[in-house]
Amino acid sequence: MNKIQRQVAKSSFGSKAATAARASVSSTQAARVVNRAAQIRTEKSQDKRAPK
Amino acid sequence: MHLVQHLRQQGFQGEDWDFFVNELARYGLAVVSGWMRSGLMASKCAEKRIVAPALPDAVRQDPEAIDEIATETVAEAIVHFRDEVLVPGVWDPAKGAALKTFFIGQCMKRYANVARRWLNHDLRPSTEVVTHERDVLDRGRVTGVEDDVLRSLTAQRILEGVDNPRAARALVMDALGYSNAEIAIDLGTTPDGASSLIKRARAAIRRQHSTPEGGTA
């Protein structure tokens, strides 16, 4: 287990219930959320840069 | 050093941040979709004075709908959680609230808007959808026998009252040559969500109309 994994495990995300919840989600589902978050982030920064 | 301090030192970016985002995605999806399916979400939001629309039973029982709403909710929550909670240091571990509780609070805030947007698209009067989609179907391109069959079947499904109007709309737009990104914007979902909706709808239509020998009727 590397440092970030240990820190997540020690945080509230590392409780038994939270760990079980995280484990119930597939990598594909998680990747879709992560990709969509990146897309939203890009759109947000483009909106900020756009002249008003 | 705790998790947030560690991520702050790295500017909330890089490999460790990406790992954490993945964990946020997993946890958020599990909680949000679970509360949506069980019908708990509206009451959880009400406890936080967040006005969220109640989901009709048909939506709560539709795994695709749950997946689309939860995906968009959690994705938006991740962006706002970083920018409005973590970066400005709004979360204070000394004050007792757990970091995961803060994150789920952010998911609930985002859920209200996402669900509203989704429902506005999904619950249009069916007559409007039929008129509009029949019209665009008539102007659609035909690239082969399969598309022609799919177009006819799509039209038939629409006229008969399709179980999933979003899937019908996505199929029609796809047949007309719209990109997944354009379909996603129209449906209020992600390009991946639109793509999988189309694939599932096409597969379901093929299954319904395939002969025992494996050909298409």
Side-chain angles (χ1 to χ4, degrees), chain B residues 62-207:
Chain B
D62 179 353
E64 287 172 15
I66 298 276
D67 188 46
E68 287 177 12
I69 298 171
T71 296
E72 185 68 12
T73 296
V74 178
E76 287 190 14
I78 287 171
V79 174
H80 288 271
F81 187 59
R82 179 191 183 278
D83 294 349
E84 294 166 21
V85 175
L86 298 179
V87 172
V90 169
W91 178 71
D92 181 354
K95 289 186 179 165
L99 188 59
K100 67 175 186 176
T101 307
F102 256 71
F103 178 63
I104 292 303
Q106 191 60 244
C107 289
M108 288 155 71
K109 280 186 196 171
R110 301 299 143 199
Y111 167 80
N113 283 332
V114 171
R116 213 168 280 126
R117 289 203 309 262
W118 195 92
L119 288 169
N120 284 342
H121 272 277
D122 203 45
L123 297 182
R124 288 176 188 158
S126 58
T127 49
E128 276 183 27
V129 172
V130 167
T131 307
H132 173 67
E133 289 178 352
R134 276 299 298 163
D135 178 46
V136 291
L137 267 173
D138 290 342
R139 288 184 278 113
R141 64 183 166 83
V142 181
T143 56
V145 175
E146 188 191 39
D147 270 354
D148 197 13
V149 169
L150 282 172
R151 263 182 60 191
S152 308
L153 293 173
T154 304
Q156 198 182 321
R157 281 171 64 92
I158 292 168
L159 289 171
E160 285 170 357
V162 188
D163 291 347
N164 185 343
R166 290 165 61 77
R169 192 173 178 84
L171 269 180
V172 170
M173 292 184 74
D174 182 57
L176 288 170
Y178 286 93
S179 68
N180 285 346
E182 289 168 320
I183 298 170
I185 290 167
D186 184 76
L187 296 178
T189 183
T190 62
D192 284 347
S195 168
S196 90
L197 192 62
I198 292 162
K199 277 183 197 159
R200 282 196 295 264
R202 278 180 170 258
I205 290 171
R206 285 197 192 95
R207 273 198 306 276

Side-chain angles (χ1 to χ4, degrees), chain B residues 27-79:
Chain B
Y27 184 65
L29 266 185
V31 172
V32 170
S33 46
W35 284 356
M36 284 172 66
R37 270 193 298 272
S38 65
L40 264 179
M41 185 54 107
S43 60
K44 290 281 184 185
C45 286
E47 283 171 19
K48 300 271 181 195
R49 296 176 187 271
I50 296 167
V51 182
L55 290 181
D57 285 349
V59 176
R60 288 203 290 110
Q61 289 156 11
D62 179 353
E64 287 172 15
I66 298 276
D67 188 46
E68 287 177 12
I69 298 171
T71 296
E72 185 68 12
T73 296
V74 178
E76 287 190 14
I78 287 171
V79 174

Side-chain angles (χ1 to χ4, degrees), chain A residues 3-5 7-8 11-13 15 18 21-22 24-27 29-37 39-41 44, chain B residues 1 3 6 16 19-20 22-27 29-30 67 72 74-76 78-79 82-83 98-100 190-192:
Chain A
K3 189 173 178 181
I4 184 68
Q5 286 173 324
Q7 284 183 325
V8 169
S11 76
S12 54
F13 289 97
S15 69
R22 286 187 285 123
S24 71
V25 172
S26 74
S27 302
Q29 287 174 307
R32 274 213 306 270
V33 174
V34 171
N35 291 339
R36 178 64 185 139
Q39 197 183 358
I40 293 169
R41 179 143 199 82
K44 214 177 156 195
Chain B
M1 189 193 304
L3 175 64
H6 173 75
D16 287 354
F19 176 84
F20 183 56
N22 198 55
E23 298 307 300
L24 288 178
R26 285 173 182 271
Y27 184 65
L29 266 185
D67 188 46
E72 185 68 12
V74 178
E76 287 190 14
I78 287 171
V79 174
R82 179 191 183 278
D83 294 349
L99 188 59
K100 67 175 186 176
T190 62
D192 284 347

